[in-house]
């Protein structure tokens, strides 16, 4: 494999040239918050491409057509972007709860996806929003794929995260449960995107992390809310569906009983937050009993 060499391209043309010329293994480093801390994931040979100076890979655009986020955009920039917070509040909320100020200032969205951690906080929102990834392959060619089809071992660079306008629903929220209030890797995290009008849900999409090797959609929970009026019976059906999702995802695990209970509280907070309601209001308190 030879010694490790590091390249810091400044634009896509230079990056593509490096990729197509590289004979051995190629790895990328964004903010380094996973790679450097974990140590064992730090490559010892081949080419390491540092993305921190890539012009054009750190940007956010959010308009009626949808949202586009460069792969080297920091989590702090995502948390602070006002247009994005209006268009997809759940993503801004997930970013604001990711690590500490120092971590958010370095960590990138591309690294959060590529690191493929089961509890990665941005990923449930991206899965629920049907995100697509604009990638660059080892051959230097561009390709686009659904976030669910991304596999880190294929060596694709995530150049851009694309959230098509028709995948964004007007109400959204993200909540997480960790071992402490700050600087906490999620024990469970969950994102919801929904249509809601005249007291009734329309389309609903829900995805959760830390329930399996990668964040996944929760179809039983989605079906329990979709088309339902916001009332006691619907919330009880939703909580029962969430418990069913935990049973299906992690049967027999030590954490099953704990996560079954925890997801109920998270689920009610999630719905209340997405609709701008008080999670301690009577409707939610009654549903929790
Ligand atoms: C103290 C601490 C607290 C943390 N808290 C949280 C938390 O609350 N929530 C959370 O979700 N995460 C948390 N993390 C994990 C980490 O900060 C995030 O996953 C972060 O988004 C990783 O981004 P990065 O740019 O630093 O990745 P890096 O460390 O640079 O890279 C991680 C992996 O992704 C690959 N990679 C990076 N960028 C790209 C790209 N554009 N295309 C393809 N591959 C790429 C690298 O090759 C590497 O394999 C925490 C980490 C630490 C150390």
């Amino acid at each position: 494999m030879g010694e490790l060499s590091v390249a810091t391209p400044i634009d896509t043309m230079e990056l593509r040239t490096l990729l197509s010329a590289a004979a051995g293994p190629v790895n990328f480093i964004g903010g380094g918050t996973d790679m450097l801390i974990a140590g064992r994931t730090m490559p010892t040979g081949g080419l390491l491409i540092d993305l921190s100076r890539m012009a054009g890979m750190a940007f956010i655009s959010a308009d009626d057509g949808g949202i586009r986020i460069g792969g080297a955009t920091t989590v702090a920039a995502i948390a602070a972007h006002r247009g994005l917070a209006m268009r997809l509040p759940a993503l801004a909320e997930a970013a604001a709860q990711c690590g500490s100020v120092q971590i958010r200032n370095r960590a990138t969205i591309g690294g959060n996806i590529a690191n493929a951690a089961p509890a990665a906080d941005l990923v449930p929102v991206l899965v629920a929003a049907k995100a697509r990834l604009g990638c660059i392959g080892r051959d230097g060619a561009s390709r686009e794929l659904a976030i669910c089809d991304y596999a880190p071992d294929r060596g694709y660079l995530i150049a851009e995260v694309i959230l098509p306008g028709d995948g964004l629903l007007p109400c959204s929220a993200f909540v997480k449960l960790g071992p402490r209030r700050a600087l906490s890797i999620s024990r469970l995290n969950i994102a919801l995107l929904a249509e809601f009008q005249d007291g009734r849900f329309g389309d609903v999409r829900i995805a959760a992390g830390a329930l399996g090797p990668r964040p996944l959609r929760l179809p039983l929970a989605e079906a329990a809310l979709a088309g339902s009026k916001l009332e006691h019976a619907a919330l009880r059906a939703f909580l029962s569906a969430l418990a069913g999702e935990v049973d299906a995802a992690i049967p027999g695990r030590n954490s099953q009983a704990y996560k079954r209970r925890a997801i109920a509280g998270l689920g009610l907070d999630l719905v209340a937050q997405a609709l701008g309601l008080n999670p301690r209001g009577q409707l939610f308190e009654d549903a929790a009993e």
Side-chain angles (χ1 to χ4, degrees):
M1 180 152 65
E3 285 200 351
L4 178 71
S5 63
V6 179
T8 309
I10 56 164
D11 59 27
T12 312
M13 193 188 290
E14 190 184 347
L15 175 91
R16 286 182 206 276
T17 308
L18 282 165
L19 283 172
S20 27
V26 175
N27 287 284
F28 306 105
I29 183 163
T33 60
D34 275 317
M35 186 180 266
L36 297 178
I37 300 275
R40 63 191 188 309
T41 63
M42 183 72 189
T44 51
L47 176 63
L48 180 63
I49 300 185
D50 171 8
L51 304 172
S52 62
R53 304 248 171 90
M54 278 285 295
M57 255 185 71
F59 68 88
I60 300 173
S61 80
D63 57 34
D64 291 346
I67 300 170
R68 301 179 91 95
I69 305 174
T73 306
T74 64
V75 173
I78 293 169
H81 194 275
R82 291 184 61 182
L84 189 137
M86 307 261 294
R87 200 82 174 85
L88 185 59
L91 190 59
E93 286 157 12
Q97 294 178 56
C98 191
S100 59
V101 172
Q102 291 90 335
I103 293 290
R104 292 194 286 277
N105 282 339
R106 297 285 318 167
T108 65
I109 188 169
N112 200 256
I113 299 166
N115 193 47
D121 280 324
L122 304 190
V123 180
V125 183
L126 299 177
V127 168
K130 298 186 178 170
R132 300 189 62 77
L133 304 180
C135 294
I136 300 176
R138 268 301 301 268
D139 53 1
S142 299
R143 37 183 64 75
E144 197 180 299
L145 57 149
I147 188 163
C148 299
D149 295 332
Y150 174 80
D153 54 4
R154 281 156 86 180
Y156 290 166
L157 167 80
I158 301 168
E160 191 179 8
V161 178
I162 304 157
L163 296 150
D166 57 8
L168 302 176
L169 303 179
C171 304
S172 78
F174 166 88
V175 293
K176 80 186 237 183
L177 181 74
R180 46 183 187 264
R181 285 185 73 80
L183 195 54
S184 178
I185 303 294
S186 295
R187 291 265 164 85
L188 198 55
N189 57 19
I190 179 162
L192 173 140
L193 271 67
E195 293 170 328
F196 186 74
Q197 208 171 6
D198 302 328
R200 189 178 284 280
F201 288 98
D203 192 8
V204 173
R205 277 184 250 129
I206 301 173
L211 273 185
R214 59 197 306 178
L216 66 158
R217 290 272 295 271
L218 304 184
L220 301 176
E222 291 175 353
L225 285 186
S228 302
K229 270 187 85 172
L230 178 66
E231 55 190 17
H232 183 78
L235 287 179
R236 291 299 306 170
F238 173 56
L239 296 189
S240 155
L242 285 175
E245 300 277 13
V246 172
D247 292 342
I250 50 169
R253 287 264 187 90
N254 288 343
S255 58
Q256 183 183 356
Y258 150 71
K259 288 193 175 176
R260 248 180 150 263
R261 279 176 63 87
I263 205 166
L266 284 185
L268 291 175
D269 284 357
L270 186 72
V271 170
Q273 195 170 303
L275 305 183
L277 300 173
N278 177 6
R280 303 292 156 254
Q282 200 61 48
L283 178 66
F284 295 100
E285 291 284 325
D286 288 350
E289 280 173 7

